[in-house]
Amino acid sequence: MKENKNIKGVKIQTFNTRVIILCGFLFVILIYATALLPSRYNALIKDTDQYINFQKDAQMVNDASDYLTEQVRMYVESENIRYMENYFEEVNETKRREKALEELKKCSTDENAKDSLEAAVRSSKDLMKQEIYAMKLVLVADGYDDMESLPEKIRETQLTTSDAVLKPEEMKEKARKIVFSEEYENSKEQIYSYLSGYVDNITGRIKIQQEKSVKSLGDILVFQRIFIILLFTVSILTFVVITKLIVKPLSMHIRNIRENIPLEVTGSYECKYLALTYNEIYEQNAAREQMLLQKAEYDSLTGLLNRGAFEEIKKLLKENPFPIALAVIDIDKFKDVNDQNGHETGDEVLKTVASYLKQSFRSCDYVIRLGGDEFVVIITNIKSENQQAIRRKFVNINKILKKSEDIIPQVSISVGIAFSLNGYTDDLFGKADTMLYEAKNNGRSGCRIYGER
């Protein structure tokens, strides 16, 4: 089978290769995008945790500062040593403010933000000195004599010369002015302002990081959706292509094969190639069958229908009864021709007689060689009223045969004819054959018709 090089169509193998490459590319991108999700998600969680912790540390600074303010004021008002102990416990042991400030320092590398934090720390230390000085004034005013048991910062704090000569009530009043004055409040506000500037700077940066992380995470999810949609689209496209180019054509091919008809050249390159190949084989088989049929129905020597075809025609004419005439024909003294001139000459005689019979009758009539020198002609759609016309045909054939120079020796034919109004009947051949023998017994080269007087 020669390859059909001019077939146009989509090659499924090529299509599948490209689909696999495309799907592989989409899967790689999708896997890569999926692999990025944890890192982007973790970055978002980290930024969120950092933001929360930063806010907690900032709040802790404020809470610790307020706690110290509260304890020093309570001590100055009540002169209860327990509040001073609480104050120094916070300063020396709990250290919430110092710890929170250390954590806050780690959150930024921006110099301006660090300057704000350093300013807050310095102001806080200065304010703490004022608070300790206020407590020292109260202790001195109360004549507290066990100074060695007090915190080191209290012991190290010395009253100014002017304050040292004040009366006890004046000392206490000054201590109250220190921790309740507008200047004290302004100092605290200044600390909060410095701290707020730092907090705003860091929280702004963290929010930007959060927004970037959220955007990055969102972009990855969008990419995932896009590539999932693309993969779904490729799957649908593949299904449609396979259905259109393979499934439908194969269904049509199967139906045509069952109905024993040529395949329609449609679908993919492979289906078209299959159809063309099948059709080529189909045509070869049809030609072979036709040749076999030709051999089965036609006489190989004369080209006329043979005895097998005669049997099929008889069945057909029995099933479809209409007026016919049956002529049975023999070549007179054909055995002598074979014996005297050889079989090759005999074959030429048979072919010549067959040719004249074929030329003398219509295409709707059947000219048949039964075997040897015996022929049959079935004349369709004819009645006995036309018997003379038929007789003239055979008389004319005999005249031609006697004048012919193509065959040696000159020959003649004898004919027996019978008519039927109801197609082929079982006794029709016998009637015609009887008339043939009458023609032979009455000098040959003649024509006898059954029922003729």
Side-chain angles (χ1 to χ4, degrees):
M1 187 63 58
K2 294 181 180 180
E3 184 179 358
N4 295 284
K5 296 183 178 180
N6 295 324
I7 301 174
K8 294 182 180 179
V10 177
K11 288 189 176 182
I12 294 302
Q13 183 176 2
T14 303
F15 175 78
N16 286 342
T17 301
R18 291 176 179 176
V19 168
I20 290 172
I21 292 173
L22 177 60
C23 288
F25 173 75
L26 294 177
F27 270 119
V28 168
I29 298 298
L30 186 59
I31 291 171
Y32 175 73
T34 303
L36 290 178
L37 274 177
S39 62
R40 296 297 185 269
Y41 176 77
N42 291 334
L44 177 61
I45 294 299
K46 180 180 178 181
D47 292 337
T48 302
D49 290 342
Q50 186 179 9
Y51 179 81
I52 293 172
N53 292 332
F54 185 80
Q55 292 291 340
K56 285 172 61 177
D57 291 335
Q59 187 61 43
M60 188 179 293
V61 172
N62 290 335
D63 291 345
S65 297
D66 291 341
Y67 178 77
L68 293 176
T69 297
E70 178 186 15
Q71 296 305 309
V72 71
R73 284 177 172 176
M74 291 293 293
Y75 174 70
V76 169
E77 287 292 324
S78 67
E79 300 176 16
N80 187 334
I81 197 69
R82 180 170 60 86
Y83 293 112
M84 184 177 65
E85 291 172 351
N86 291 340
Y87 181 94
F88 282 103
E89 181 181 2
E90 174 65 32
V91 171
N92 297 325
E93 298 178 16
T94 308
K95 298 182 178 181
R96 287 184 297 169
R97 184 170 62 181
E98 282 71 14
K99 292 178 181 178
L101 288 171
E102 286 299 321
E103 291 298 321
L104 289 176
K105 286 181 182 179
K106 299 175 183 178
C107 295
S108 177
T109 57
D110 183 82
E111 293 299 326
N112 292 329
K114 283 185 175 182
D115 290 342
S116 295
L117 184 61
E118 292 296 333
V121 171
R122 288 194 300 270
S123 297
S124 178
K125 289 180 178 180
D126 291 340
L127 191 62
M128 185 184 293
K129 290 179 180 179
Q130 294 182 41
E131 293 168 345
I132 293 173
Y133 190 84
M135 288 187 285
K136 184 65 177 277
L137 284 171
V138 174
L139 285 170
V140 172
D142 286 339
Y144 195 82
D145 54 1
D146 191 9
M147 290 291 180
E148 293 300 323
S149 64
L150 295 175
E152 182 178 356
K153 289 185 179 181
I154 287 288
R155 296 197 309 270
E156 291 176 352
T157 301
Q158 299 295 324
L159 299 181
T160 62
T161 304
S162 59
D163 289 340
V165 298
L166 293 176
K167 295 178 179 180
E169 287 302 324
E170 291 174 340
M171 288 183 179
K172 292 178 182 180
E173 182 63 25
K174 185 168 184 177
R176 282 192 289 272
K177 284 183 179 180
I178 290 174
V179 296
F180 286 101
S181 66
E182 183 177 352
E183 183 181 355
Y184 180 84
E185 291 295 334
N186 289 337
S187 296
K188 285 184 66 68
E189 288 297 326
Q190 186 65 40
I191 294 171
Y192 292 150
S193 176
Y194 288 140
L195 188 59
S196 177
Y198 180 77
V199 169
D200 290 344
N201 180 282
I202 301 303
T203 54
R205 182 179 60 81
I206 294 175
K207 283 183 178 179
I208 291 173
Q209 291 176 346
Q210 283 181 316
E211 290 172 357
K212 288 182 179 178
S213 297
V214 169
K215 185 179 182 303
S216 178
L217 189 61
D219 290 342
I220 292 173
L221 292 174
V222 169
F223 267 118
Q224 278 189 321
R225 294 189 191 100
I226 291 173
F227 284 105
I228 289 172
I229 291 171
L230 287 174
L231 282 170
F232 179 76
T233 303
V234 170
S235 300
I236 295 297
L237 177 62
T238 303
F239 173 79
V240 171
V241 169
I242 290 176
T243 300
K244 183 177 180 181
L245 298 183
I246 299 179
V247 177
K248 280 189 175 181
L250 284 180
S251 299
M252 294 170 60
H253 293 348
I254 291 171
R255 183 178 66 250
N256 289 2
I257 290 172
R258 286 176 176 172
E259 295 176 359
N260 195 29
I261 59 177
L263 305 184
E264 182 179 349
V265 182
T266 184
S268 67
Y269 173 89
E270 290 81 358
C271 288
K272 289 180 178 179
Y273 189 88
L274 171 65
L276 289 172
T277 303
Y278 175 86
N279 290 344
E280 187 175 344
I281 295 173
Y282 179 89
E283 291 172 1
Q284 291 176 355
N285 288 340
R288 191 178 295 110
E289 288 177 5
Q290 185 65 30
M291 182 178 67
L292 293 175
L293 184 63
Q294 183 82 8
K295 289 182 178 179
E297 294 183 350
Y298 289 86
D299 178 58
S300 59
L301 178 64
T302 63
L304 299 181
L305 294 169
N306 61 18
R307 182 179 289 276
F310 178 56
E311 296 299 325
E312 294 299 321
I313 293 169
K314 283 163 52 176
K315 293 178 184 178
L316 177 65
L317 294 176
K318 284 182 179 181
E319 295 172 358
N320 300 282
F322 52 83
I324 65 170
L326 175 66
V328 181
I329 305 148
D330 266 358
I331 299 174
D332 297 328
K333 297 182 180 181
F334 182 71
K335 184 175 183 302
D336 293 341
V337 173
N338 274 334
D339 292 342
Q340 296 173 11
N341 301 284
H343 288 287
E344 290 185 2
T345 301
D347 289 344
E348 290 299 322
V349 169
L350 289 172
K351 289 192 284 185
T352 300
V353 170
S355 174
Y356 289 144
L357 288 173
K358 186 73 173 176
Q359 294 172 17
S360 299
F361 290 92
R362 303 166 299 176
S363 61
C364 60
D365 299 328
Y366 300 99
V367 181
I368 303 163
R369 182 191 177 198
L370 293 182
D373 63 324
E374 187 177 13
F375 296 86
V376 167
V377 177
I378 300 175
I379 303 102
T380 61
N381 292 310
I382 195 154
K383 298 181 181 179
S384 58
E385 290 86 348
N386 304 111
Q387 60 186 6
Q388 294 306 319
I390 297 174
R391 185 194 298 273
R392 284 194 296 271
K393 287 181 181 291
F394 289 111
V395 170
N396 187 54
I397 290 173
N398 268 327
K399 288 181 180 179
I400 296 172
L401 288 172
K402 290 177 181 179
K403 293 179 180 179
S404 174
E405 297 177 357
D406 295 334
I407 57 175
I408 299 174
Q410 295 178 347
V411 295
S412 62
I413 59 174
S414 296
V415 183
I417 303 172
F419 286 87
S420 171
L421 295 175
N422 298 309
Y424 193 90
T425 59
D426 292 335
D427 61 348
L428 187 62
F429 188 88
K431 291 177 180 179
D433 196 49
T434 299
M435 294 298 100
L436 171 64
Y437 280 98
E438 283 189 12
K440 283 182 174 291
N441 292 331
N442 286 278
R444 297 184 176 86
S445 186
C447 179
R448 294 286 182 174
I449 300 174
Y450 188 84
E452 181 183 39
R453 295 180 181 177

